[in-house]
Each structure stands twice: as structure tokens, then as C-alpha cells.
Amino acid sequence: DAGVIQSPRHEVTEMGQEVTLRCKPISGHDYLFWYRQTMMRGLELLIYFNNNVPIDDSGMPEDRFSAKMPNASFSTLKIQPSEPRDSAVYFCASSRDSSNTEAFFGQGTRLTVV
Amino acid sequence: GENVEQHPSTLSVQEGDSAVIKCTYSDSASNYFPWYKQELGKRPQLIIDIRSNVGEKKDQRIAVTLNKTAKHFSLHITETQPEDSAVYFCAASIIGFVGNEKLTFGTGTRLTIIP
């Protein structure tokens, strides 16, 4: 398996534009997590899914953020409209099941909103 | 919810010396404590983990200790090498219970090994 795959690796967008980040988890993993990493706040969990169902979205900062997982092999994190304070590295991670919780991270998407 | 605190935020040690990073957690139900290493510009990767049924675990030059009573756990790196320079994150979660699997991370420790 190629591991967790995220796209794009880098995204630069203007304030107010819609941004969509994509993630393909490791095949066979039941859990998918979206994290945001900044210098000030470290690694923050935004939302996670179990078998494509959102379990906890309490970390989503506001209504401008939304996430979907239409099937076991794909998830999106959307920001609309984007703001400069959304600039961060966004990581997707997956883990096998509730007893094997090692999280495998993707390469991350570095988002810059200007 | 779980709260994980990590200290120190930065640490510089001479090559060959030992490094210790400490974390505390708040939820006594947490039973899984992994440590991740993140090199500059790269993804976090698991380096060692411990479950609450053991007090210590070693893997070559790295070891983790857990004190459930005090709710703290530590990472120990011996005989440090330049390639140990990175940011280290501790985390805590509850495994085996659907709905509690999320990892709560500490704020990270930037470790610098001085040649």
C-alpha cells in the first residue's frame, strides 16, 4: 500500500475562495482523521470518521469547514470561504480499527490563504 | 475531554547525552500512549507506544515509561544522535471503545542535538 495519500501538497488561494483538500486512506483502515497543524496550536483534530460515518466533529472551527467521506477510499475537507487564518498544514491520517489505533499520516497539504 | 500537556517545548542536548520529554494527561480512562516524531517538513510517524497494562517499554535507544497513578508518561532517548533532531509529540487515547479512538496530542517538543 502506498500509504495515506493527500492532494494537493501545496495550495495557495485568495481569501474568500473555496478550498478542497483530498485524502485517500490506507485500504482496510476503518478510521480517518483530519488534523490541522500550526505553530501556535500544534496538531488539532478537526473531525474523524469510522466506516465513513462522522463520529466527532467538535474540532471543526466553524461552519466554513465541512468534511465528507462518501466511500471507504476517499474523503474531502472543504473550506468555504477561506480566510488567511486558515493557513496551516492539514494532515489526513487513518488507522485500522478501535484496537489498533496507530495513526498513519499523509504527507499533508500546506494551505496558504492570501 | 482529554487534555495532554507536554514539556519542555524545546530541548537541546549534546550528542551522546540523553533526552527526556514528559507528558501528563487528564482522562484516567486513557489507555494508549503513542509518541510521534516529525522531522522538518515531513509527516508525523509513530516511534513507540505503550498501553496502560505495562509500565515501561524499550526499543533500542528509545524507551517510554508510564505512571498511571500520576497520569504521566515520558519518552527517553539515550545516546542521542544528530538524526534524533525533530519535533516529538506525545498523545493519548482510549482504545477498544468505539467513539473514543481519537488521539489527543501534546503541543510538541523541538529536540535539537548539538554535534
Side-chain angles (χ1 to χ4, degrees), chain A residues 34-85:
Chain A
W34 281 102
Y35 287 91
R36 178 172 67 177
Q37 185 175 36
T38 61
M39 287 293 293
M40 293 299 294
R41 302 172 70 90
L43 272 166
E44 301 175 277
L45 178 67
L46 301 178
I47 185 171
Y48 79 98
F49 297 83
N50 175 27
N51 292 321
N52 314 337
V53 176
I55 301 299
D56 185 346
D57 65 355
S58 60
M60 296 286 262
E62 48 198 275
D63 291 346
R64 297 184 299 106
F65 286 68
S66 63
K68 294 182 180 180
M69 192 166 186
N71 57 61
S73 59
F74 183 66
S75 177
T76 60
L77 178 68
K78 186 176 293 187
I79 308 173
Q80 165 64 19
S82 58
E83 298 182 3
R85 60 193 168 121

Side-chain angles (χ1 to χ4, degrees), chain B residues 13 31 46 76 92 97 105:
Chain B
V13 300
N31 57 9
L46 180 74
H76 305 252
F97 294 91
F105 283 89

Side-chain angles (χ1 to χ4, degrees), chain B residues 92-103:
Chain B
S93 74
I94 304 170
I95 62 172
F97 294 91
V98 175
N100 289 284
E101 312 86 343
K102 61 182 180 180
L103 285 170

Side-chain angles (χ1 to χ4, degrees), chain A residues 31 37 48 56 98 103 105, chain B residues 36 38 43 51 96 101-102:
Chain A
Y31 290 87
Q37 185 175 36
Y48 79 98
D56 185 346
S98 61
F105 284 78
Chain B
Y36 284 79
Q38 185 178 27
R43 73 187 87 186
R51 301 197 177 194
E101 312 86 343
K102 61 182 180 180

Side-chain angles (χ1 to χ4, degrees), chain A residues 17-33:
Chain A
Q17 296 298 306
E18 178 180 293
V19 175
T20 299
L21 311 181
R22 297 173 176 80
C23 176
K24 181 181 188 304
I26 294 173
S27 177
H29 280 197
D30 291 344
Y31 290 87
L32 183 139
F33 305 85

